[in-house]
Amino acid sequence: MATTPERDAHSGTATTGHEWDGIKELDTPMPSWWLYTLYASIAFAVVWMILYPSLPYVRGVLGYSTRAAFSEDMAAQQARAAPMLARMRAATPAAIAADPELRAYALAGGRIAFATNCAGCHGSGGQGAVGGFPSLADDDWLFGGSFDAIHQTISVGIRNGEADARGVAMPAYATAGLTWPQINDVAEYVLSLSGPAGDTAAAARGAPIFAENCVACHGEAGEGNKDMGAPRLSDRIWLYGGDRASIARSIAFSRGGVMPSWSGRLDPATINMLTVYVHALGGGER
Ligand code: HEC
Ligand code: HEC
């Protein structure tokens, strides 16, 4: 309920003129330091809005933009990196690895490119994963661990449908001429290549089946073939699991690991750095 403003007898301050059930409100002014700070903030905000972009579609008279500043930073960074990247592009991976300065740069750049592009399949340390993703940190190579072989594999990829991709396709023997008992026998023989056979009679029955069907790709003694990407079967390193059932499944339905080609996705300097990085993970061959 409104009444006319009046002076309060105790404090000497005027009231606002509002009254609720006999309670009146004093009209105490803001302290002047507070008010001037408020006015200064408003003035500062207005000046700021004129100078810098703070409204949609308005550039600000200083012409500043975070986007442009970011592009400048990036361009400066690229200009700084350009001479080194040109050397990465011009040198072979083997030459990069032989030069301590280039090698250190390639390992750092390769690690970042690996984390971005490769770790999703090969693991953050290149340790691989069961299910067909090979470890790149051991010395067991499907296609070879020399600088040239690694460079080639990364560039063209594996079984990705492109004409120059690496890797042949293995037949699926469940529909390519073997019965299930034969598949189980040859699986037992495959197991015997890397350890004592559990079922020696079955392994003996599997041996001629292996000789007839498998040696063309996997070799006489299961040593593998790097031109085809046929894995060595005589070690205990398995892409798809080394238990009896997984091996029988590999033989019956075949496997065909796929990797994209990177030559169209990454620039030559990055592919060289990745080659040096992968080679240095632990299993690099001369
Ligand atoms: C989509 C998953 C995927 C990505 C991403 C991927 N790879 Fe692979 N990579 C594979 C598979 C699967 C194989 C094995 C194919 C096979 O079974 O023969 C492989 C094989 C390889 C091999 C051959 C290893 C050997 O033993 O000879 C190299 C080297 C390799 N990858 C490097 C890389 C690098 C470097 C990158 C990143 C630029 C990368 N890969 C990204 C799936 C991938
Ligand atoms: C045309 C060539 C070819 C023939 C013939 C072939 N393989 Fe393979 N085999 C391959 C390739 C290539 C792979 C690797 C597939 C991949 O990397 O995804 C493979 C993978 C395997 C694997 C999985 C290895 C692992 O590390 O998990 C087993 C087991 C295997 N083959 C057994 C056999 C047996 C047994 C025969 C004969 C009955 C046979 N292969 C015939 C090419 C062949």
Side-chain angles (χ1 to χ4, degrees):
M1 203 184 135
T3 59
T4 40
E6 56 190 86
R7 196 151 291 276
D8 173 58
H10 295 290
S11 60
T13 310
T15 67
T16 57
H18 300 147
E19 186 202 326
W20 294 273
D21 295 340
I23 300 170
K24 296 174 184 174
E25 190 186 1
L26 295 183
D27 188 11
T28 314
M30 288 293 182
S32 51
W33 67 263
W34 194 97
L35 257 162
Y36 289 124
T37 310
L38 174 68
Y39 296 149
S41 307
I42 293 170
F44 180 83
V46 170
V47 172
W48 189 271
M49 280 172 76
I50 293 168
L51 294 181
Y52 288 102
S54 40
L55 297 172
Y57 309 110
V58 179
R59 217 44 222 279
V61 297
L62 291 187
Y64 175 83
S65 112
T66 42
R67 191 180 291 252
F70 174 73
S71 306
E72 273 169 32
D73 283 355
M74 287 297 284
Q77 169 56 28
Q78 269 158 15
R80 258 201 309 279
M84 207 55 174
L85 288 180
R87 290 171 73 189
M88 290 293 150
R89 214 169 286 129
T92 64
I96 293 171
D99 176 321
E101 188 199 0
L102 293 183
R103 184 182 134 90
Y105 192 92
L107 289 181
R111 176 186 319 260
I112 294 167
F114 194 88
T116 312
N117 300 289
C118 325
C121 288
H122 289 287
S124 55
Q127 74 276 20
V130 177
F133 304 107
S135 165
L136 304 178
D138 61 12
D139 54 9
D140 184 48
W141 294 97
L142 293 163
F143 296 94
S146 67
F147 286 112
D148 285 349
I150 295 172
H151 188 270
Q152 173 77 359
T153 305
I154 298 173
S155 300
V156 302
I158 300 161
R159 296 186 198 90
N160 49 32
E162 291 162 31
D164 54 357
R166 300 196 106 162
V168 299
M170 171 168 155
Y173 284 96
T175 52
L178 294 185
T179 64
W180 272 100
Q182 286 176 311
I183 289 172
N184 287 328
D185 288 348
V186 77
E188 197 64 48
Y189 177 75
V190 167
L191 271 174
S192 77
L193 293 174
S194 60
D199 181 343
T200 41
R205 287 194 302 272
I209 304 174
F210 189 86
E212 189 176 331
N213 295 284
C214 321
V215 296
C217 296
H218 289 287
E220 293 287 341
E223 67 274 16
N225 181 324
K226 290 182 180 148
D227 293 333
M228 302 183 187
R232 188 206 303 267
L233 302 177
S234 55
D235 55 20
R236 291 191 185 185
I237 300 172
W238 301 99
L239 282 165
Y240 300 98
D243 56 292
R244 222 166 247 94
S246 299
I247 292 176
R249 208 171 299 132
S250 294
I251 300 167
F253 305 115
S254 114
R255 311 280 194 179
V258 173
M259 177 164 103
S261 64
W262 295 96
S263 54
R265 294 180 173 85
L266 301 174
D267 69 294
T270 305
I271 292 182
N272 281 349
M273 293 194 288
L274 278 168
T275 303
V276 174
Y277 175 75
V278 168
H279 189 273
L281 282 177
E285 297 167 347
R286 283 285 129 197

